[in-house]
Amino acid sequence: MSTPVLTTKLYIPRSRAQVVLRPRLLARLDESLARPLTVISAPAGCGKTTLLSEWAAGCARRRPSVPLAWLSLDEEDADLHRFLTYLVAALQTVNPSIGQALSAAFQGLQPPPTKSALTALVNELVACEGPFVLVLDDYHRVDSRAVDWAIAFLLEHLPPGLHLVIATREDPDLPLARLRARNQLVELRAADLRFTSAEATEFLQQVMGLTLTERDVATLEARTEGWIAGLQLAALSMQGRDDAASFIQAFAGSHRFVLDYLVDEVIGQLAEPIRTFLLETCLLDRLCAPLCAAVTGRDDAKERLAALERSNLFLVPLDDTRHWFRYHHLFADVLRTHLVESQPERVADLHRRASAWYERDGQRPDAIRHALAAGELARAADLIELALPAFSLSRQFTLLYGWLKQLPDDLVRARPVLSTGYALTSMACGEMAGVEQRLSDAERWLDEAAARREPAAMVVVDQDEFRRLPGRVPLIRAGRALARGDVAATVALARQARDRAADDDRLTRGGASTQLGMAAWAGGDLVTAVQMMVEGLADLRLAGYIPPAIGGAITLADIQIVLGRLRDARVTFERGLEWAALPEGRVRQGGADMHVGLAALLYEQNELDAAEQHLLTSRSLGELAALPQNPYRWRATLARIRQAQGDLDGAQALLDEAERLYDGNFSPNVRPIAARRARLWAAQGRQNDAERWATERRLTVADDLTYLREFEHITLARVLLARGRSDRASLDEAFGLLDRLLKAAEAGSRAGSVLEILALQALARHAQGSLPDAVVLLQRALALAEPEAYVRLFIDEGADMEALLREARDRDILPDYTCTLLAAFASPAPNDGTPRGGVSPLVEPLSARELVVLQLIATGLSNQQISERLFLALDTVKGHNRRIFEKLQVQRRTEAVARARGLGLI
């Protein structure tokens, strides 16, 4: 669920003026398009919105190729989630494709970081063709540092085609001084907006229909200091009067006195029914006839609104159908002040009526706001409790937190569902103080209910959620424990949550199971971890909670890879992509991560081009489709590809970036970036650097072995093997450590680790001169690796492993598989078909896939058998054959094999 977009906020207010009143200002706005930002900053009633609406209408006529997006802001837009949602909706009125990834991301597991969201939005704006304008009206109503920062970021990275206009009563907290120095800012202020004598004359005579002398206009303009709202109020006061000149001459004193006098005159001159209607509806931010009827108790609300619009009484239409309206903000403020001063006893009742109507109409946020304003805190608490599930799912925690803070503690403590929701909302907003107390308050009522006592003071509105609390309370506590790395507490609390979950509460059961899976993973029990994750994801999906299921799928696939189940991991990633898919090609948060996972699997199968393509696809989806761990995982995967391609410096730079960006997102850090860098150092021959890493990590061959440090200890063994080239004792140490690691990995069913350890043991025995032992160990590794189609596991070990594989092939050990691996060795890092150690004599080198097919041809396999072996369509295999023959300049299979052997390709 996402924030519902009120289309009225995107509607450009229409001026009722039939003539262009301010050509000088309209011209300045036209000229401002040459700079990134225009700020119109002036007090209330200076005509900012009217000017912009006139200009917008003129732009549509004069510059049809420069579309304009409009967003009217209010106080609730201080919630950054809400603000970005409406910002995207406004931009989509110009180009519907803008911000689709951002909209999808807010349906995701967690809202994206602001910088990531805005970066993605800027990239989409850059891709848009042609210039356009974005107007942010009433910016002063958004009191939010987060929104200010977001706008400042947009300004710093503003695409050349976008011009931003901000209308506000006070200067925004933006880097205006810097923009002025760069000549990137156009400003219109109160002095610019005040009417000149000529403009005042045109307004009073042509728009307001008054017949005034030049002297009368000049006097009135001087008394009001060109303040537009003041002129309009004065004009309304004079309509129907025969003594306009006397009325104008009576003005004297301060600006404030004039304003007070005008307000009294306007309101005082209105007929009683109209004045009553204005006062009774002034508390409403938006007005429609049914709402006004409910608040006033009148059945002629529609006619009243039409009459107000005809009378030009500061009523602004918010849609083309004239269904929704609002009062001019200044006029509404004046009416509210007058209401509070003259009829304070009515304020609460009017808010109460508005709240009741909004509740009946299904507009719960407005219902809650008016209930709070009415002082009906118990009823507001009822409404908030009912809103918790939907608003929590759409992650509007800032809005929830703002409401909840207005409720007294005694009221919250008596409501277990509300207390639990308050705890979750506080955690989501980073306010940890009081979370445990809220959960304890809820638990106290649960204990009394379990004891079959009738807790007279307890209040429950959402009975379904109350039934789920026995599982939800420990589930929230388990999440806190997992975040702080307390595995034992996570397990105990998650089991408690699962045991206590209601029969129909798949969300709690699914969440608890995935927490147990994460805890089992951290403890090295990967079989249990997979079981728990599979159960948890099934419950989450059945409950309709797709975003958490996508995040869990990434965790499940990571565990399957450690278990050596590459095919299962691929299925998991592909299913995750299906879950992440949204209509119109959009992707939920986490979709980009699935491509990174598939890239890692394709890397292992030596499909480097395909792996890199998946990484490019991941990046093209944008950061909004990515989970927090994506940036580091993306770079770590590309580092492996670059290392395979021989770009060791590039690989190290990527690992350095990955370490800086590391975010485990609750997953255990079982493959530390520092250890991966140490492996790269060992491959580069930087033995001192690799050994310094081992020393800093306090790693020794005598350490107690744990799963969390297994990757580091295998890396230590690699460092020792590298040293063993000149120190035989290090080989013995390495083999001893590997033997202990093998037993631990086998006991934990971690086939992925077992494979790597066996390969390293084979290399160690080979280095020690024990070829028969090395071949036996390699045979065990091959038998485990073949069903999952491992390739890079072997060829990344270099020439020594190639020699061992040739020995295995000569001994007829899994000949098809060893031939496939040796064919991969024949392809150098760039995958261009160059023989190892030489330059290709072919005009067009063979690709990596063509080399594999050629190697299988050499073993005598038919096209059908190759198709089945490589999981390719038969026509695809035939296409590879044709290209191989063309590149080798041969006609038949036997000729191709002979030519390839002569060139050293196989």
Side-chain angles (χ1 to χ4, degrees), residues 272-532:
E272 179 61 28
I274 295 177
R275 182 168 62 250
T276 299
F277 183 86
L278 289 172
L279 293 176
E280 289 178 337
T281 57
C282 68
L283 299 175
L284 305 173
D285 288 340
R286 295 176 297 127
L287 305 96
C288 68
L291 172 59
C292 292
V295 171
T296 64
R298 302 178 61 92
D299 57 7
D300 61 349
K302 185 175 182 178
E303 291 73 17
R304 291 291 180 196
L305 289 172
L308 291 176
E309 188 178 14
R310 286 194 302 272
S311 301
N312 204 24
L313 269 174
F314 299 98
L315 193 67
V316 180
L318 296 178
D319 55 38
D320 291 316
T321 62
R322 294 302 202 269
H323 180 73
W324 284 100
F325 299 85
R326 69 166 173 84
Y327 291 125
H328 184 286
H329 296 314
L330 175 67
F331 191 54
D333 289 343
V334 171
L335 289 173
R336 289 165 189 165
T337 300
H338 191 76
L339 174 67
V340 171
E341 291 176 352
S342 62
Q343 304 176 52
E345 73 284 353
R346 297 209 59 195
V347 173
D349 183 57
L350 292 171
H351 276 300
R352 181 187 59 76
R353 293 184 184 187
S355 177
W357 185 88
Y358 278 121
E359 182 183 9
R360 291 193 301 271
D361 199 52
Q363 300 189 48
R364 196 162 279 160
D366 288 305
I368 292 170
R369 181 166 51 83
H370 280 285
L372 289 169
E376 290 193 323
L377 300 181
R379 183 167 170 277
D382 291 348
L383 293 169
I384 295 171
E385 182 171 319
L386 293 171
L388 278 170
F391 277 70
S392 297
L393 180 59
S394 61
R395 306 193 69 80
Q396 297 188 63
F397 290 115
T398 302
L399 191 58
L400 280 173
Y401 192 59
W403 292 336
L404 288 164
K405 285 194 301 182
Q406 297 181 57
L407 301 178
D409 279 347
D410 290 345
L411 186 66
V412 176
R413 280 197 294 267
R415 298 165 177 261
V417 174
L418 199 63
S419 294
T420 305
Y422 204 153
L424 178 62
T425 301
S426 297
M427 284 177 56
C429 293
E431 300 290 338
M432 306 305 294
V435 169
E436 181 55 38
Q437 183 59 54
R438 301 287 182 199
L439 294 174
S440 297
D441 289 340
E443 212 165 33
R444 174 170 57 87
W445 294 116
L446 290 174
D447 291 342
E448 291 201 21
R452 298 184 181 278
R453 292 192 292 269
E454 292 293 335
M458 182 178 76
V459 179
V460 174
V461 180
D462 193 333
Q463 292 292 337
D464 288 337
E465 285 299 301
F466 180 71
R467 287 190 302 102
R468 299 181 180 117
L469 288 190
R472 293 286 171 83
V473 170
L475 182 69
I476 295 172
R477 285 179 171 146
R480 291 186 66 202
L482 186 63
R484 63 176 182 265
D486 190 340
V487 174
T490 300
V491 171
L493 289 165
R495 285 176 176 168
Q496 188 180 89
R498 193 173 59 170
D499 292 342
R500 295 180 179 180
D503 292 340
D504 63 344
D505 190 3
R506 290 188 177 276
L507 174 60
T508 296
R509 288 209 305 274
S513 293
T514 56
Q515 288 173 341
L516 288 170
M518 299 282 279
W521 183 15
D525 185 0
L526 273 65
V527 175
T528 298
V530 167
Q531 178 186 348
M532 291 293 97

Side-chain angles (χ1 to χ4, degrees), residues 107 154 374 413 428 444 454 582 712:
Q107 301 177 35
L154 279 177
R413 280 197 294 267
R444 174 170 57 87
E454 292 293 335
L582 289 170
E712 289 185 307

